[in-house]
Amino acid sequence: MRKALKRWRTAMASLFIAAVLSVAFPRAGREALSLLGMNVGTILGILPPVFVLLGLFDAWVPRERVAPHLGETSGLKGVILAILLGASSAGPLYIAFPVAEVMIRKGTSLRNAFIFLGAWSTMRVPMILFEIQNLGAIFALSRYGASLAGVLLMGAFMERVLGPKDREDILARFAEHRAG
């Protein structure tokens, strides 16, 4: 019971705040509850299909197919592939984290996982097309280049900051998660 309460504390806090708002400010409370319901509905509409697809990917794609392309020894090819995978993604950022977890369990290096997450959050193709159309090509390409540099620097920085022991601990945690 205590574990369930801890896991759902943010949702319960949101519901509590919305309930208090409903008492103090009925109109604002109704609006808050409505928005909370819409957000929960959106998330519940997106996450189950994503988890089904990730489960299929996890079950059907062997580690030996992923590790050479995105693993520790993949080099520049792995970095480019991580950027392309992240940039061609669709959906909100909260989907990227379970995807990155499955990729790590399949042998993706942490550097490439960080690069994938960075590319997902800042370099998506629909975003640059929107920016070119609405903000101009110079701005869009400048921002895209800065995002690329930032993503690459952040991947290298995180790899360096973590160090070998921290990376081993993280990878071991994913290995335990898969076994358990």
Side-chain angles (χ1 to χ4, degrees), residues 46-148:
I46 293 172
L47 284 182
V50 168
F51 284 134
V52 167
L53 291 172
L54 285 175
L56 293 172
F57 175 76
D58 200 17
W60 290 348
V61 177
R63 182 181 176 95
E64 296 77 28
R65 298 281 297 189
V66 176
H69 301 289
L70 289 164
E72 293 292 336
T73 60
S74 63
L76 183 61
K77 176 180 77 170
V79 170
I80 292 170
L81 187 56
I83 289 169
L84 290 174
L85 287 171
S88 63
S89 64
L93 185 59
Y94 58 82
I95 292 174
F97 293 100
V99 172
E101 178 184 349
V102 172
M103 288 171 61
I104 290 170
R105 284 199 316 242
K106 291 295 182 179
T108 299
S109 70
L110 289 178
R111 177 193 68 236
N112 287 339
F114 289 130
I115 289 171
F116 167 78
L117 289 170
W120 185 304
S121 65
T122 62
M123 299 179 64
R124 290 194 275 182
V125 172
M127 190 180 336
I128 191 165
L129 296 176
F130 172 82
E131 289 174 354
I132 288 170
Q133 183 178 12
N134 293 294
L135 301 171
I138 293 172
F139 171 82
L141 295 174
S142 299
R143 198 236 9 117
Y144 209 74
S147 294
L148 175 61

